[in-house]
Amino acid sequence: MAGGTALATVVLGELGKNSPVEAQTGAINLYSARHYDNDDALYQGFTKKTGIKVNLVEADADQLIERIKSEGANSPADVIITVDGGRLWRAKQAGILQSVSSKILTSAIPVSLRDPEGYWFSLSRRARVIMYNKAKVNPSQLSTYEALTDPKWKGKILVRSSSNIYNLSLTGSILAANGAQKTEAWARGLVANFARPPEGNDTAQIKAVASGVGDLAIANTYYLPRLAESKDPKDREMAAKIGVFFPNQRDRGAHVNISGGGVVKTSRNKEGAIKFLEYLVSREAQQMFANGGNEYPVIPGVPLDKNLASYGQFKADPLNPDVFGKNNAEALKIMDRAGWK
């Protein structure tokens, strides 16, 4: 993490009743599930622009949601940021967010990328795509998520566990498109084509495809540029073996998840919290998401990371994350019945 007075970082487990992250008029307290060092530049940019400091608490989104619930009216949190739309939906359902009215946010962020009632807002996008071994797969063989159940892919598909929120949201989007019966058939067909039982994160799936464990992986787009831009030459060699395919381009489009945030219901600095979210959708901040995080901006016209841009343009599924968030629980039941562990 970068230093300086603009940023104080606290690990969640260290927070107690005498938390150093107290309400301050000249600061906001951010609970974030984004564990990216380059986000420091975002916080420091906000402080430079507004004079408002950012006190940062990092943990997984579910831990942060439970923490805010347990803190109740005494929670010092002003803003919560997660890396999945499903968890923003959970935060809203948990009653820890408040509705925000901001012309800056509503004009900058498309309707499909924000809560219909203003409880949360997308800050960046990430597509969940098919990645393939260039030496083994011709992209003309690929088409849709649904087509991954074709027997020709038996023993060739790699993906992380069913409990992973990215897979829950992907399955939730398929559920919205195709209904429960067809989604369960899809999940069973996908499991039948697994190269191995799910293990590891998206980076592990990409590396396994590069190493020949399987031919295809389902992964979020930003993981591959990080390998391509790694200081480790072995990572760069693996990334060079991988191609990116955007599914469902002839129908609804590729599934897009988000990183986003909302203002905590008990915030003692609501004005500062809203200013922070507004700053994060400014062109300056969106460029940082694109360059530092290898993510797709939520506002048009912001140049992409060069590696991300090299994968080409694509049609995105316009499904609001609120929908696949609602579907997460049913999606997990379907995946469990299908044997996706």
Side-chain angles (χ1 to χ4, degrees), residues 274-302:
I274 294 173
K275 284 183 178 178
F276 180 63
L277 292 178
E278 290 174 342
Y279 171 75
L280 293 181
V281 296
S282 68
R283 188 176 179 86
E284 173 186 322
Q286 289 286 293
Q287 192 67 71
M288 293 184 205
F289 278 115
N291 290 343
N294 309 109
E295 298 167 272
Y296 291 102
V298 295
I299 64 172
V302 175

Side-chain angles (χ1 to χ4, degrees), residues 50-320:
T50 64
I52 300 171
K53 297 180 181 179
V54 177
N55 298 319
L56 176 64
V57 176
E58 288 187 329
D60 291 338
D62 289 336
Q63 288 179 288
L64 294 172
I65 292 169
E66 289 305 312
R67 180 75 192 201
I68 294 170
K69 285 169 63 178
S70 67
E71 289 169 341
N74 295 319
S75 177
D78 294 303
V79 176
I80 182 171
I81 289 179
T82 79
V83 291
D84 173 83
R87 286 196 172 109
L88 286 171
W89 181 83
R90 291 182 193 177
K92 179 184 175 183
Q93 296 306 303
I96 66 169
L97 301 179
Q98 61 176 291
S99 179
V100 165
S101 178
S102 163
K103 289 183 179 179
I104 292 175
L105 292 172
T106 54
S107 62
I109 304 170
V111 174
S112 63
L113 294 173
R114 50 185 162 89
D115 178 69
E117 299 173 302
Y119 283 88
W120 55 259
F121 301 87
S122 298
L123 304 172
S124 64
R125 301 178 298 142
R126 51 273 299 271
R128 195 147 185 79
V129 300
I130 300 170
M131 297 193 186
Y132 60 93
N133 187 313
K134 293 177 181 177
K136 295 185 175 183
V137 177
N138 187 319
S140 66
Q141 297 174 273
L142 301 168
S143 58
T144 64
Y145 298 107
E146 290 84 349
L148 293 176
T149 62
D150 190 304
K152 71 182 178 183
W153 302 119
K154 188 172 182 63
K156 296 180 179 180
I157 294 177
L158 293 151
V159 67
R160 63 204 293 179
S161 72
S162 61
S163 61
N164 172 254
I165 193 71
Y166 302 140
N167 286 335
L168 288 172
S169 292
L170 170 62
T171 304
S173 73
I174 292 173
L175 182 58
N178 300 327
Q181 187 174 354
K182 289 183 178 179
T183 300
E184 185 163 341
W186 169 78
R188 290 183 184 279
L190 192 68
V191 169
N193 287 342
F194 282 177
R196 66 180 182 193
E199 62 177 66
N201 58 16
D202 279 11
T203 300
Q205 314 313 315
I206 297 169
K207 288 184 174 182
V209 169
S211 300
V213 177
D215 291 358
L216 306 175
I218 298 174
N220 284 356
T221 40
Y222 57 90
Y223 286 97
L224 188 57
R226 291 176 186 175
L227 284 176
E229 295 162 16
S230 170
K231 293 179 181 179
D232 187 339
K234 291 182 179 179
D235 286 344
R236 298 196 299 272
E237 287 173 14
M238 286 191 170
K241 295 179 180 180
I242 302 297
V244 173
F245 184 85
F246 296 98
N248 297 78
Q249 294 302 283
R250 295 185 179 182
D251 47 66
R252 65 184 180 274
H255 171 62
V256 170
N257 209 323
I258 62 166
S259 181
V263 178
V264 176
K265 187 176 183 179
T266 54
S267 170
R268 300 172 206 179
N269 189 358
K270 181 179 179 180
E271 182 181 352
I274 294 173
K275 284 183 178 178
F276 180 63
L277 292 178
E278 290 174 342
Y279 171 75
L280 293 181
V281 296
S282 68
R283 188 176 179 86
E284 173 186 322
Q286 289 286 293
Q287 192 67 71
M288 293 184 205
F289 278 115
N291 290 343
N294 309 109
E295 298 167 272
Y296 291 102
V298 295
I299 64 172
V302 175
L304 301 179
D305 164 83
K306 64 178 182 179
N307 282 293
L308 192 64
S310 73
Y311 308 148
Q313 297 182 337
F314 69 99
K315 177 183 177 181
D317 185 348
L319 185 70
N320 191 292

